[in-house]
Amino acid sequence: KNNSYISYLGPVYNNDKEKFFNRIDVLLMPSLLEEAEPLVIHEAMSYGIPVIAYNKGCIAEIVKQDSGLVVKSNLNLTNCTIKLINNWINDPNMFNQIRINSYNSYIEIKNESKVTLGNIMIFPSPNTSIPIVSRKRTEDFATNSFNGKARAL
């Protein structure tokens, strides 16, 4: 159908992403595919944009009930979305809190990821260009004990 409120944009790259995220209020991800960990969800939440998506892959690990909506795949996403958005329209304070929660969830995930990635580092072997995997703490890397050549995964 032709609807002036809905448009298909296709892929959005680079600086256009910021413009895109600044123009939307909610990210709707209606995919029924087993999404591993869609980057777009993290990107949206980094702008304080709530996400509504089916429970596929690890989406439920990212989007919490206080920062968006994860819908069971046997339910109608459209009906659930309409109901939730109408609630947000009727209670702008609730929507603003959801936006704050969405951003805070992003920061929490980002900080947890830094700790996890800091414990798994790739260090080039001194005698070869083939990297080896070594478990080191972030503090070890910070002390330049590996000549600053370590790269986080």
Side-chain angles (χ1 to χ4, degrees), residues 35-136:
E35 303 286 348
E37 186 172 354
L39 181 59
V40 69
I41 289 177
H42 293 286
E43 291 172 322
M45 293 173 67
S46 77
Y47 283 83
I49 296 168
V51 175
I52 299 174
Y54 276 119
N55 187 7
K56 294 293 184 177
C58 70
I59 291 174
E61 303 284 326
I62 304 166
V63 180
K64 303 298 181 193
Q65 288 305 115
D66 67 343
S67 62
L69 177 66
V70 177
V71 178
K72 293 179 183 175
S73 55
N74 64 334
L75 297 177
N76 185 304
L77 184 71
T78 304
N79 292 340
C80 295
T81 299
I82 290 169
K83 181 178 178 182
L84 182 61
I85 289 177
N86 280 328
N87 289 340
W88 289 344
I89 289 170
N90 292 326
D91 188 349
N93 291 330
M94 180 191 340
F95 180 69
N96 287 333
Q97 187 60 54
I98 294 291
R99 289 191 68 136
I100 291 167
N101 295 345
S102 180
Y103 176 76
N104 288 339
S105 290
Y106 163 75
I107 294 298
E108 183 180 317
I109 290 168
K110 180 179 170 186
N111 290 337
E112 287 173 3
S113 295
K114 282 182 182 179
V115 170
T116 301
L117 291 175
N119 290 325
I120 302 171
M121 306 293 284
I122 296 178
F123 301 96
S125 173
N127 300 322
T128 180
S129 61
I130 299 171
I132 59 171
V133 176
S134 175
R135 292 190 163 271
K136 284 292 182 184

Side-chain angles (χ1 to χ4, degrees), residues 5-18:
Y5 296 105
I6 300 172
S7 59
Y8 176 75
L9 299 177
V12 179
Y13 300 106
N14 304 323
N15 294 337
D16 292 335
K17 280 186 180 184
E18 183 176 359

